[in-house]
Amino acid sequence: MEHVTQATPSPHAHADVVRAVVDEHRHEPGNLLVVLLDLQQRLGHLDPALVPVVAHELNLSRAEVHGVITFYRDLRTTPPAPVRVRLCRAEACASVGAEALVSDVGERLGARLGGTTPDGQVSLEEVFCLGNCALGPSGQVDGRVHGRLDADRVLDLVARARP
């Protein structure tokens, strides 16, 4: 499951976490992405206030750090919803109704792609391949991949995953 619940530490504590993570990954190739993924795993999301600290610790510009955060869809700057729904929109799934599924699920949840439900409990995201192409349309609810989805099944999975 992808639930992340944590009290919000002070900005000073976040800086200490950034420094510890950077120290762990300082000599790895492509360490910016590794650092950002590790920070997100530990903190739940990448608070924009961390950008200057990460930039300073890795001797990068704030723009470089911000650019990577905003480029990768799996990096988030806000806390995740308790339930995360990711629907595949790649070619194989699209050929068996993924676009209609995305539209129907979004309408029924009251959420746009990249957004959350009005109650903030469910996020709706797109993904371009979950490796489940033979069973499309595919999706992922709370980290578990499911195939041959329709809107009713997605909503049932969401109802079971809700806190």
Side-chain angles (χ1 to χ4, degrees):
M1 295 202 118
E2 297 198 12
H3 297 283
V4 178
T5 54
Q6 229 172 311
T8 305
S10 70
H12 179 69
H14 281 305
D16 290 343
V17 172
V18 170
R19 288 183 193 98
V21 169
V22 168
D23 285 344
E24 286 179 34
H25 302 290
R26 188 172 302 280
H27 301 292
E28 294 179 35
N31 63 358
L32 173 57
L33 187 54
V34 174
V35 164
L36 293 173
L37 288 167
D38 194 342
L39 285 170
Q40 182 170 278
Q41 178 67 32
R42 293 180 193 211
L43 301 173
H45 71 287
L46 299 169
D47 187 314
L50 297 178
V51 170
V53 181
V54 172
H56 175 76
E57 290 298 317
L58 290 173
N59 196 29
L60 299 169
S61 72
R62 291 178 185 189
E64 289 173 295
V65 176
H66 176 76
V68 169
I69 291 171
T70 57
F71 179 79
Y72 290 101
R73 292 175 187 248
D74 284 338
L75 296 175
R76 58 186 172 270
T77 57
T78 58
V83 179
R84 188 174 179 198
V85 176
R86 302 172 78 203
L87 298 176
C88 180
R89 296 182 69 202
E91 291 82 2
C93 287
S95 72
V96 291
E99 294 306 314
L101 175 65
V102 168
S103 176
D104 195 14
V105 168
E107 185 176 311
R108 290 171 66 182
L109 284 174
R112 294 176 149 188
L113 277 176
T116 61
T117 54
D119 65 2
Q121 295 299 300
V122 181
S123 66
L124 181 60
E125 304 168 14
E126 65 183 351
V127 64
F128 290 92
C129 198
L130 292 165
N132 200 31
C133 303
L135 299 176
S138 294
Q140 190 178 47
V141 178
D142 254 0
R144 295 195 65 199
V145 174
H146 303 273
R148 295 194 176 110
L149 292 174
D150 60 29
D152 289 335
R153 183 150 179 243
V154 172
L155 295 176
D156 181 55
L157 292 165
V158 167
R160 287 194 246 160
R162 277 183 180 260

